[in-house]
Amino acid sequence: MRVTKFEHAALRLDEGGDSLLIDPGSFTSPLDDLRRVVAVVITHEHADHWTPAHLDAILRAVPGTPIFAPAGVDAAAGDYEITVVAPGDTVTAGAFTLRFFGGEHAVIHSSLPPVENVGVLVNDELYYPGDSYAVPDGVAVETLAAPLGAPWLKIGEAMDYVLAVAPRRAFGVHDMTLSVIGRDMHRGRLQWATEHGGGEFFALEPGDSLDL
């Protein structure tokens, strides 16, 4: 399986001629090569993780593509057919088996309403927590897509999260709110945390891929 990072939180997984898209949002440039897409995962309702423009482009390329997301996305994206998923669910689409974890977005501030969020484990290989520090219980994570920067993120907590998951490899996502200096600084901290657990950290730029 191959993972390709795009801007911010967007990922594409490729396996056996099928593609899976995760969280193509408002900070992500228009995506191409959509004809092999068999499913879309949206971890939560915030616009930096999904937009109508991205969903419209995907559905034009592959009409009827299933979109898996929590109930909050179903409520926010009323013009689209959403297959609602929750922690504990497992679904399949093409070459991909998706297991969902977590349930809640990390707290930004007590004044803001809580938001549902699901982390997704793809083919028991790559785990992406969305906007959360949810650790997938009972899972040995091979590859972690680890958030680098966000209004809810403190780098010490992000380091502790990587230490708790202890992946064999990791790379940073959710990074468009950071300056170049801040991004590289945060990458260095998560690299330390990954290596502390015996893993390897990869600094992926938009368009870079990693074979898993």
Side-chain angles (χ1 to χ4, degrees), residues 140-181:
V141 174
E142 291 291 310
T143 306
L144 175 66
L148 282 173
W152 49 268
L153 187 148
K154 178 180 177 181
I155 191 59
E157 294 174 348
M159 293 168 69
D160 285 340
Y161 177 62
V162 173
L163 290 170
V165 175
R168 189 162 67 87
R169 63 173 74 87
F171 62 93
V173 294
H174 210 282
D175 51 8
M176 288 292 283
T177 60
L178 297 173
S179 68
V180 172
I181 292 172

Side-chain angles (χ1 to χ4, degrees), residues 3 5 8-9 11 120 126-134 141 143-150 152-153 155 157-163 165-167 169-176 178 183 186-187 189-191 193-194 200-204:
V3 58
K5 180 194 179 330
H8 201 52
L11 301 174
V120 60
L126 180 135
Y127 181 65
Y128 172 54
D131 282 12
S132 80
Y133 295 127
V141 174
T143 306
L144 175 66
L148 282 173
W152 49 268
L153 187 148
I155 191 59
E157 294 174 348
M159 293 168 69
D160 285 340
Y161 177 62
V162 173
L163 290 170
V165 175
R169 63 173 74 87
F171 62 93
V173 294
H174 210 282
D175 51 8
M176 288 292 283
L178 297 173
R183 181 201 61 196
H186 285 202
R187 280 177 174 170
R189 299 302 185 192
L190 295 196
Q191 178 177 347
T194 304
E200 183 177 5
F201 185 85
F202 296 84
L204 300 186

